[in-house]
Every structure is written in C-alpha cells, then in structure tokens.
C-alpha cells in the first residue's frame, strides 16, 4: 500500500506542478474540469445514486455548470460575492460534527446542490489564484499551505496526540495534531506567504499569517466533512482511481474548502 501511494504521488505531483507552472489559466481550468467530473462521479456515491443513468446525469449537470460559470460574470469581479456564502457554509459545517452520527445524513436534493457549489467554487478559485500576477507561485503557496496543515498535524499528532478532535468522524485526528498543523501553517504563511505575495510591511505579513491560519482551519473542516459524509453512507474511500490513495475526493477534501477561503480572504484583505 505504501509503495502504491509513493508511486502514485511520484507520477501525479510532477504533472500537477507542470500544469500549474506552464499551462495558461483557461487550459488549467479545462484540465481541472476533467478532475471535477471525476469528483462529481464520486459525489454521486455520497448521494447513494447507483443507477448509471443517474450518475451520468449528474456528470452532465456538472459539466454544464462548470462551462456556465466560466463564461459568466461570476468568473470575474462577481466571484468575491459568490464565494462569501460558500465560505460561510464551510465555516458552519462543524456544527454538524458534534451530533454525528445522528445528524450525519444529508438529503439528496441538498447534496446535489452542495456538490455543484463545492466543485465549481474550488475550480474557479484555483483558476483565479492562477490568473494573478505570479499566479503559479501564489497557487503553489496555497497547495503547500494545505500540505503543511496535514504534515504538521501528522507529526504533532504522533508525538503529542492525546485528545481526539472528532472521534466519531475521524478517530485518528487529535487536537494536538491540529494545533501542530496550525503552527506549521503560521510559519509557512509568514515566510513563504510574504515571498509569494510580495509582502513587506509587518501589518501585511501579520494579516497573511492570520489568513493562513483561517485557511488551515478550513482545510481541516474540509477533511472532516468528507470523512463524515463517507461514514454516513458506509464508504471507506470516495473511489479507487488513485492506487494506494483512494478517490480524488480523498485527496482534495482539504483543498475544496481551503482554496475558496484563501481567495476570498486575499480579496477582502486587499492582499491581491
């Protein structure tokens, strides 16, 4: 299993880095839209849709939404306003964690809408970050911020973890691990963030550190939300497309919450 995970990462990471670094933003969005369709297919399992026609219909809906939002005013100045309710939803999702599993199930109509919001907001946010001046560096900063949250949580959790963060949802995660992830994200935000976004004043750097911490919290929420939804329907993994890793949603569950939160925060704070 470990060798599969390593080999898959060795193949996918260079492809992702090359795509971010060399592809124009429209081509990046197009490539990620293909990933979005896989996410949509996996999401249908969370909705307990098993009929091929139902799942195919949701894919067609996703493709139409992704095309529509790309050519709409939302993909521009309107994106800031559109992201406000999306980020607020992410920040209030933890209210469902405490009552899980009693309140873990979500109605199918709500899941239909939630999936479209999640996929479209994630891909548009990634594209908008990529389209900024020196966008590839800024986008990679966000990706590695999420990686820092996971890495810090893993090592701090192994060394100091005693108190469960959400035992009914993800028994392996601890409060101490989450704190370790936040500390590493604060360091990454202060050092790498000041470089990626060209920040020089102490106030701007402090603002970036605070925003990085908020984004790190959002990434944890995204991870726990996917775990909650999987447990609600009895899934171990969201899919099997990535050997050793599971599905696409298993790998991007943190990014789907982190990317919109980062873009909205950057715009509201005047950092871009």
């Amino acid at each position: 299993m470990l060798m599969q995970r390593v080999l898959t990462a060795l193949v996918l990471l260079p492809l992702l880095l090359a795509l971010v670094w060399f592809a124009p933003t429209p081509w990046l969005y197009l490539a990620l839209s293909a990933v979005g369709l896989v996410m949509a297919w996996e999401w249908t399992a969370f909705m307990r849709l098993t009929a091929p026609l139902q799942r195919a219909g949701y894919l067609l809906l996703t493709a139409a939404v992704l095309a529509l939002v790309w050519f709409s005013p939302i993909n521009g100045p309107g994106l800031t306003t559109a992201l406000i309710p999306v980020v607020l939803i992410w920040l209030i999702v933890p209210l469902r964690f405490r009552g899980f599993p009693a309140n873990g199930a979500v109605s199918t109509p709500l899941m239909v809408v939630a999936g479209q919001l999640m996929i479209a907001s994630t891909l548009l946010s990634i594209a908008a970050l990529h389209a900024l001046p020196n966008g590839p560096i800024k986008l990679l900063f966000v990706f590695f911020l999420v990686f820092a949250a996971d890495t810090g949580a893993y090592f701090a959790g192994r060394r100091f973890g005693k108190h469960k963060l959400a035992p009914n949802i993800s028994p392996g995660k601890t409060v101490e691990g989450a704190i370790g992830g936040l500390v590493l994200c604060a360091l990454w935000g202060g050092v790498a963030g000041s470089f990626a976004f060209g920040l020089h004043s102490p106030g701007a750097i402090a603002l970036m550190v605070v925003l990085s911490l908020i984004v790190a919290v959002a990434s944890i929420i995204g991870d726990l939300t996917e775990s909650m939804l999987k447990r609600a329907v009895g899934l171990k993994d969201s899919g099997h497309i990535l050997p050793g890793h599971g599905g696409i949603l298993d790998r991007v569950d943190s990014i789907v919450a982190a990317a919109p939160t980062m873009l909205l925060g950057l715009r509201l704070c005047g950092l871009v």
Side-chain angles (χ1 to χ4, degrees), residues 12-259:
L12 293 181
L13 186 58
L15 290 175
L16 175 63
L17 293 176
L19 189 63
V20 170
W21 199 258
F22 295 110
T25 300
W27 286 101
L28 174 69
Y29 183 81
L30 182 62
L32 293 180
S33 292
V35 177
L37 293 181
V38 179
M39 293 167 62
W41 179 266
E42 294 176 355
W43 191 256
T44 59
F46 292 179
M47 295 188 287
R48 302 181 188 271
L49 299 182
T50 56
L53 284 179
Q54 290 178 320
R55 304 186 80 175
Y58 196 71
L59 259 66
L60 290 175
L61 174 63
T62 304
V65 169
L66 290 177
L68 179 63
V69 296
W70 178 256
F71 292 106
S72 75
I74 293 177
N75 185 25
L79 184 56
T80 302
T81 302
L83 286 180
I84 291 175
V86 173
V87 173
L88 287 176
I89 289 171
W90 278 118
L91 294 180
I92 65 174
V93 163
L95 294 176
R96 298 186 68 92
F97 294 167
R98 183 177 293 274
F100 185 83
N103 62 357
V106 182
S107 67
T108 298
L110 185 58
M111 288 290 285
V112 169
V113 176
Q116 297 303 315
L117 284 176
M118 176 190 68
I119 296 170
S121 64
T122 301
L123 300 194
L124 281 180
S125 297
I126 290 174
L129 288 164
H130 188 264
L132 294 170
N134 296 318
I137 293 177
K138 293 179 173 66
L139 180 56
L140 290 176
F141 164 79
V142 178
F143 285 160
F144 281 96
L145 179 67
V146 173
F147 179 70
D150 289 341
T151 303
Y154 175 77
F155 286 105
R158 290 196 62 179
R159 177 64 179 85
F160 304 107
K162 292 181 179 179
H163 302 89
K164 300 297 184 182
L165 182 63
N168 291 331
I169 296 174
S170 186
K173 290 181 171 56
T174 64
V175 174
E176 293 81 3
I179 293 173
L182 293 176
V183 170
L184 189 56
C185 285
L187 293 172
W188 178 255
V191 177
S194 59
F195 167 76
F197 291 87
L199 307 178
H200 303 289
S201 71
I205 294 173
L207 198 57
M208 175 57 72
V209 170
V210 172
L211 178 57
S212 297
L213 289 172
I214 294 172
V215 172
V217 170
S219 75
I220 295 171
I221 293 172
D223 188 352
L224 289 174
T225 300
E226 199 237 358
S227 296
M228 179 182 70
L229 294 174
K230 285 192 299 186
R231 285 184 176 274
V233 295
L235 291 175
K236 181 179 183 297
D237 297 313
S238 65
H240 308 285
I241 194 171
L242 301 176
H245 290 264
I248 295 293
L249 285 173
D250 293 322
R251 299 277 63 83
V252 303
D253 51 7
S254 298
I255 293 174
V256 295

